Each structure stands twice: as C-alpha cells, then as structure tokens.
Amino acid sequence: MLTEGISNKQQLEVRLVEILHRISGADPSVITRDARLMEDIGIDSLGFYEILIEADTCFGIRIQEEQLLQFKTVGDIQSHLESLDIDLTSSKTA
C-alpha cells in the first residue's frame, strides 16, 4: 500500500476500513465514520472479537473488551485509535 504523502489519520482510516471489510465482508464504500457497526456493516459478536485481535496484530494495541462493546459506529473506533496516537510507520502491515 502506498501511504507516502497522506496523514497518519488518513492511513488509520484506510487500515480500519480494510480490517472491517475483511471481518464483515461489507462493501468498503459503506464503511464510513457514521456507519453503525452492527446495523450497517453487519459486525456480530464474533466480529467484535476479531476487531480486538486485528487491533493487536495490525496496530500493536490492546482494546479492552468492555470498551470495544461500547463502540457503536466506525467513527467511535477511529476516534479511539486516533486518541492513542498510533505510529503507523512502525506498525505491522495488514
């Protein structure tokens, strides 16, 4: 993936869409900040656990299960990840 010249925030958004697409099979065009995880994208309870695993694998971070279950939209997850100030240049590729 060519990420040179785009911001860390944009890279994070691209990676998050890739992860959610892989987990849910939803069309990437519907995976927007406002999309609801369960209703719009089709993330089920198993999908939430896959998000936990992907966050650890791709970003090297751990999201607490209780915290993840409070997220309702893609934007909720993205805002949380942005608040952690993840350095995507040193994180693993998806």
Side-chain angles (χ1 to χ4, degrees), residues 36-72:
R36 296 169 298 172
L37 296 170
M38 295 175 78
E39 297 88 343
D40 299 330
I41 301 176
I43 300 289
D44 58 15
S45 57
L46 178 60
F48 276 94
Y49 285 101
E50 291 181 61
I51 293 170
L52 292 176
I53 293 165
E54 290 284 344
D56 186 27
T57 303
C58 294
F59 303 123
I61 59 149
R62 295 204 184 272
I63 300 174
Q64 297 299 316
E65 179 182 346
E66 302 78 27
Q67 193 173 33
L68 179 66
L69 295 175
Q70 292 177 0
F71 298 149
K72 301 297 180 206

Side-chain angles (χ1 to χ4, degrees), residues 5-94:
I6 65 172
S7 72
N8 202 50
K9 185 175 180 177
Q10 290 169 314
Q11 288 182 49
L12 181 62
E13 184 175 354
V14 168
R15 296 276 295 278
L16 183 57
V17 168
E18 289 171 354
I19 290 167
L20 294 174
H21 166 68
R22 200 166 50 240
I23 290 171
S24 69
D27 186 319
S29 67
V30 303
I31 304 175
T32 63
R33 281 189 76 92
D34 295 330
R36 296 169 298 172
L37 296 170
M38 295 175 78
E39 297 88 343
D40 299 330
I41 301 176
I43 300 289
D44 58 15
S45 57
L46 178 60
F48 276 94
Y49 285 101
E50 291 181 61
I51 293 170
L52 292 176
I53 293 165
E54 290 284 344
D56 186 27
T57 303
C58 294
F59 303 123
I61 59 149
R62 295 204 184 272
I63 300 174
Q64 297 299 316
E65 179 182 346
E66 302 78 27
Q67 193 173 33
L68 179 66
L69 295 175
Q70 292 177 0
F71 298 149
K72 301 297 180 206
T73 66
V74 173
D76 292 341
I77 297 174
Q78 186 169 344
S79 295
H80 176 72
L81 294 174
E82 288 169 1
S83 74
L84 299 175
D85 197 29
I86 299 166
D87 180 9
L88 292 176
T89 59
S90 63
S91 65
K92 301 171 189 168
T93 56

